[in-house]
Structures are given as structure tokens and as C-alpha cells.
Amino acid sequence: MTRVASLTICRRRCANAPLNIQQRRLLSLAYALHEPTPSLGKPKENPLMILHGLFGSKQNHRSISKGAKVAMTVALRSSGLVGALIPVDNAPVDAVLKSDFGRYLEGMREIESAGIKKQVEADHILSRYEDALAIRQFLMTNLVKAPGSDFLSLRIPVQTLASSLGNMGDFPFRNPSEANYTGPTLFVRGTQSHYIADDVLPVIGQFFPRFLLHGIDCGHWVISERPEAFRQAVVSFLRDLGNE
């Protein structure tokens, strides 16, 4: 497996603004690498890559949103690099993000400015923005204590996310005739969520002609709300691939 140490990113003042080279900066990638023990020898299979989403991090691996769209984009641009694909509650179309996302960011900004020391204090603040304990607990996995500090801070760039939220539901491909991924693909959707609506299934089929659809009775936060149901769906899909 190739180790990736850093990534050059560019920040834009608005979606249509020309890129200013002075706005580029180098960031270290946040990733966790799990390698087999030496006694097992060299891995015989390709690695499993998990891309987290908007409120995810290498510590929780349980968010979706942008992670799914990044994975779909990689599959469409470089299909030979992807053996199989599992997008979670997202489709290859432009989408308007739920108002919940902006609300969560507002709550997280309040946490940043409050100078808190305990998770219970953060939960008290977030409870004004989200009723579901499971979602609040997931959001709080982004809280960390910097070395030498008694105060909790957020590992994600809340202000950057907030200023870019309007464009985060976009998808770079428009025409399925120009790019498709013919590998095995499992779309997992929350049946109470709107991100994989029935009317986008034909588009999914054009981009990903071998796709399967699995519905789980929950909202958008599939892995946080129904982790065991999600695990079973993934294991079944991968087991079937192994039997082909």
C-alpha cells in the first residue's frame, strides 16, 4: 500500500472565482493505515479504503456525504484502481444538503467559542441543535484536546466547511455516456433520507451499471444510526464478491 504524506489543497473565495496560486497551502493527510502482521506475509488482496465525509475523521470513519462522492469520482475517473465500490446514502448527482448540516456547524462553532473542558458541556450545547443522541455523539468524536491544553477543540475546520457548504453537494460528472464504472457497486441508502431518491436510480444505473441497492430503515447517518444493519449489508456484498 502506498503511504501518502501530504496533499496540496486550494481555497477559493467563491465557487466561480479564479484560482489564486497564493491561496494554496500544504496540509498533512489525516489517515489511519492498518497493515497485516508480518507473520501473515504480503497481502494477497487489494486494500479496503474507507473515505469519511463532511463531519468524519480518521477517528470515527462513520460519516458519509463527501466521502461517497469522492469514492464515486475516483471510480469514474480511474476505474482500474477500484475493485468494488460502496457509496453510502449519496448519489452521483448535484444535491442540496439538508438544513441540518448548517445547524450542526452553528452548534460546533458555538462549542469552539465556549471554551469547554468536558464532553458533557459540548453535548449540552449540541442538544439545542440536534435531538438525536447518536448523532450528537458522532459529531463529538471530532473533539480533541491539544497537547498541554485543558480545553476541547475541534479537529475539523468548521469555518471553512461553513463557508463552502453551498457547493458541497455538487458532483463533477454530468453525462453518464462520458464515464461509467462497470465494477460491482453497492449503494446503501437510508429509507428515511432523501439523498438516494427513486427518481435518481436511472442515473445511478447509467454511471454504475452493475449497482445493487440496499435500503436500511434510518435517516442519512446510516452507519451511526444502524451500524449492525450496515455491517451485515457490507459483509454480505463482499462475501458474494468472493464467491464469484
Side-chain angles (χ1 to χ4, degrees):
M1 181 184 295
T2 302
R3 295 174 182 267
V4 182
S6 61
L7 173 71
T8 300
I9 68 165
C10 303
R11 298 179 62 184
R12 298 173 184 257
R13 293 188 179 181
C14 63
N16 297 321
L19 181 64
N20 184 338
I21 192 68
Q22 298 301 322
Q23 292 177 293
R24 291 166 47 135
R25 60 195 178 96
L26 194 66
L27 294 179
S28 297
L29 288 178
Y31 68 96
L33 179 63
H34 303 278
E35 294 183 309
T37 58
S39 61
L40 295 176
K42 186 178 180 180
K44 298 180 180 180
E45 303 294 338
N46 292 325
L48 175 65
M49 297 186 68
I50 301 173
L51 302 180
H52 64 71
L54 186 59
F55 296 111
S57 73
K58 69 176 184 177
Q59 299 300 320
N60 55 47
H61 295 310
R62 293 185 343 190
S63 187
I64 46 271
S65 306
K66 296 311 292 180
K69 289 198 169 177
V70 169
M72 287 187 282
T73 299
V74 170
L76 292 173
R77 284 182 176 166
S78 305
S79 59
L81 299 178
V82 181
L85 182 67
I86 307 177
V88 183
D89 207 51
N90 225 310
V93 296
D94 289 349
V96 177
L97 298 181
K98 295 194 306 179
S99 61
D100 295 354
F101 286 69
R103 206 169 64 238
Y104 298 153
L105 287 170
E106 185 179 348
M108 295 169 93
R109 281 188 290 188
E110 183 177 341
I111 288 173
E112 276 195 319
S113 62
I116 62 173
K117 296 182 178 182
K118 299 179 180 179
Q119 291 257 352
V120 66
E121 297 174 277
D123 185 59
H124 178 71
I125 292 173
L126 283 178
S127 66
R128 299 198 293 269
Y129 299 90
E130 173 56 53
D131 293 332
L133 176 60
I135 294 177
R136 297 201 307 271
Q137 289 176 330
F138 163 69
L139 294 174
M140 288 190 295
T141 60
N142 289 295
L143 287 170
V144 294
K145 279 188 178 180
S149 174
D150 293 329
F151 297 96
L152 290 169
S153 60
L154 289 161
R155 69 172 85 245
I156 58 175
V158 175
Q159 187 56 48
T160 300
L161 292 176
S163 62
S164 306
L165 198 59
N167 299 312
M168 285 189 175
D170 294 350
F171 191 67
F173 289 92
R174 299 288 184 273
N175 189 352
S177 65
E178 296 177 354
N180 61 61
Y181 172 71
T182 58
T185 304
L186 174 67
F187 278 82
V188 180
R189 69 173 173 180
T191 57
Q192 300 172 31
S193 171
H194 73 279
Y195 286 110
I196 303 183
D198 289 344
D199 58 3
V200 304
L201 296 182
V203 178
I204 291 176
Q206 290 177 301
F207 278 120
F208 304 97
R210 290 183 60 190
F211 90 97
L212 301 173
L213 180 66
H214 183 84
I216 296 177
D217 184 19
C218 62
H220 179 58
W221 307 87
V222 178
I223 307 172
S224 292
E225 295 179 46
R226 298 290 304 280
E228 179 57 23
F230 175 77
R231 186 195 68 81
Q232 291 179 10
V234 171
V235 169
S236 177
F237 175 68
L238 296 177
R239 183 177 291 124
D240 288 344
L241 290 183
N243 293 332
E244 289 184 357

